[in-house]
Amino acid sequence: MLKFDGEAKWKSVEGALALRAPINQIVDSIYENGFKNVCWLGIGGTWASALQVEVHMKERSSLDFFSENAAEFLTTGNKKIGQGSIAVISSVTGTTEEMLRAVKRCRELGAKVFAFIDTSSSPLATMVDWCISYPQNEQLKFFMVADRLMYLNGEFPEYDAMYQNFDQSLPRALVDVEIEADCFAREFAEKHHNDALHYFVGAGNQYGACYSYAMCYWEEQHWIRTKSIHSAEFFHGMFEVIDRDSNVTVYVGEDSQRELSLRVARFLPRICSNFTIIDSKDYELKGIAEEYRGCLSHLVMHAVNNRIDVHIENLNRHPMEIRRYYRQLDY
């Protein structure tokens, strides 16, 4: 398989799951000392991850939590953020301008900051109250924080059993998804690598990932124009511009909002002959208990997309690390 190291991916997820002990130590301390609310704070891809964890908690928890876009926060503010607030953030480089300024502002307002920063020596890492440094697996790290908070609040009784299941089976399951998806991903890339415009549709914990994939991967890294939309909003405008030849991909997950995406998937054959449905249910996830699959739909999507990206990169002869403007110009 092109650019595939299954052992490295296995170890990456295994290592991320092993962070649960230090994460729990921090979260337990936060919970015991009391807090007012939790702000999932991000920009670009990290804001997309914040949207994912927000919807994951929405149906399960009565805790006061919300997602916040760092750039909006800097211009508009948020009266919820202040003494007793816990901002949870993630950053690869620890140098993103909006995040540096937003964290500084949070601290000025009296909030504390729990950060996942890949580069432990970065400027951002010196500004936060708690920092864990481990590369990749951003969504998994966010979800481990959320799940521990809900467990401590008496709202997630399956916590211990679920993570025991994940520890045993998740690394292998996600590696297997990439292997299972590779032929499909190559065919998908061959069909769509030169699209003038591609529509991505998703819901639930898939929506933040769908939004991020369209923007941070196809637009930023492949330079392919896209639009992403929530499945619940598809029938309130976007479907009027879909025709026979429109390029549309619908991500269908297994969480509580599955039906929203299935509604789109059922409708599309009436007006479009160029759509693709990617359903996390089609992947085995060997060893993962049925009742926990919905919490992993976004990770399945990410694994499938990893293979699509590799093949688009190869077909277009455009290395994904090359940028035209991002961090190349002042803006």
Side-chain angles (χ1 to χ4, degrees):
M1 284 171 59
L2 186 65
K3 293 183 71 174
F4 179 74
D5 187 338
E7 183 179 359
K9 290 180 180 292
W10 184 311
K11 289 182 177 178
S12 176
V13 177
E14 199 171 54
L17 287 166
L19 296 176
R20 194 153 55 91
I23 286 172
N24 287 357
Q25 186 176 8
I26 294 169
V27 173
D28 289 3
S29 174
I30 290 171
Y31 193 87
E32 289 167 8
N33 290 317
F35 63 95
K36 181 177 69 172
N37 54 37
V38 176
C39 172
W40 303 95
L41 178 67
I43 189 76
T46 57
W47 184 57
S49 295
L51 295 176
Q52 289 173 276
V53 73
E54 181 184 36
V55 75
H56 174 68
M57 293 183 72
K58 187 190 299 185
E59 65 178 297
R60 296 174 172 87
S61 183
S62 62
L63 291 169
D64 190 355
F65 60 89
F66 53 96
S67 61
E68 181 63 70
N69 181 288
E72 290 187 31
F73 172 57
L74 289 168
T75 54
T76 306
N78 189 325
K79 287 293 186 180
K80 290 184 177 182
I81 298 176
Q83 292 287 341
S85 296
I86 306 295
V88 185
I89 70 166
S90 178
S91 178
V92 174
T93 65
T95 61
T96 304
E97 179 186 354
E98 293 96 334
M99 292 306 297
L100 287 165
R101 292 171 55 206
V103 166
K104 181 181 178 183
R105 182 64 180 144
C106 283
R107 297 298 302 275
E108 290 171 349
L109 292 171
K112 293 187 176 181
V113 182
F114 180 7
F116 295 101
I117 302 174
D118 293 9
T119 307
S120 58
S121 59
S122 67
L124 193 56
T126 67
M127 300 169 59
V128 302
D129 297 276
W130 306 278
C131 181
I132 292 178
S133 294
Y134 185 83
Q136 303 176 340
N137 303 283
E138 179 174 277
Q139 295 91 346
L140 183 55
K141 291 181 284 193
F142 270 13
F143 274 56
M144 284 193 284
V145 173
D147 290 342
R148 186 65 177 181
L149 281 169
M150 292 189 291
Y151 168 75
L152 294 172
N153 207 44
E155 299 170 323
F156 206 74
E158 64 270 40
Y159 174 83
D160 287 323
M162 187 181 78
Y163 276 100
Q164 182 179 13
N165 185 223
F166 289 178
D167 289 343
Q168 293 172 348
S169 302
L170 186 58
R172 174 183 176 178
L174 292 179
V175 168
D176 286 349
V177 170
E178 296 206 26
I179 294 170
E180 291 175 52
D182 191 59
C183 288
F184 157 77
R186 183 179 66 251
E187 293 172 1
F188 183 90
E190 288 170 350
K191 182 178 180 181
H192 293 293
H193 70 103
N194 276 327
D195 283 358
L197 175 65
H198 197 105
Y199 295 96
F200 289 97
V201 186
N205 62 25
Q206 294 275 36
Y207 175 67
C210 174
Y211 166 79
S212 175
Y213 189 55
M215 177 181 66
C216 298
Y217 290 82
W218 277 45
E219 291 184 337
E220 181 182 323
Q221 298 180 56
H222 294 306
W223 302 347
I224 301 173
R225 291 174 175 84
T226 68
K227 176 180 177 172
S228 60
I229 191 166
H230 197 288
S231 301
E233 290 296 298
F234 177 82
F235 296 101
H236 298 274
M238 177 180 158
F239 74 148
E240 288 291 348
V241 298
I242 301 299
D243 57 27
R244 182 194 65 187
D245 300 318
S246 299
N247 304 298
V248 185
T249 296
V250 183
Y251 289 98
V252 183
E254 297 170 67
D255 63 357
S256 63
Q257 294 190 24
R258 175 178 176 83
E259 180 57 31
L260 295 175
S261 295
L262 285 177
R263 184 186 178 203
V264 178
R266 288 191 296 264
F267 174 78
L268 278 171
R270 298 178 61 189
I271 60 170
C272 182
S273 62
N274 199 31
F275 65 89
T276 301
I277 309 299
I278 300 177
D279 190 341
S280 65
K281 208 168 189 175
D282 292 336
Y283 293 89
E284 183 181 9
L285 298 184
K286 185 176 182 179
I288 298 296
E290 181 71 23
E291 59 265 34
Y292 307 142
R293 289 179 61 104
C295 296
L296 300 174
S297 298
H298 59 300
L299 300 182
V300 175
M301 171 185 170
H302 182 67
V304 174
N305 289 342
N306 281 344
R307 300 313 304 161
I308 294 172
D309 287 335
V310 165
H311 290 294
I312 290 179
E313 180 184 53
N314 183 56
L315 288 164
N316 287 353
R317 296 298 190 267
H318 166 56
M320 292 174 66
E321 64 268 20
I322 293 176
R323 304 288 187 274
R324 281 190 286 209
Y325 313 125
Y326 182 65
R327 296 183 185 253
Q328 308 299 316
L329 302 172
D330 292 329
Y331 48 85

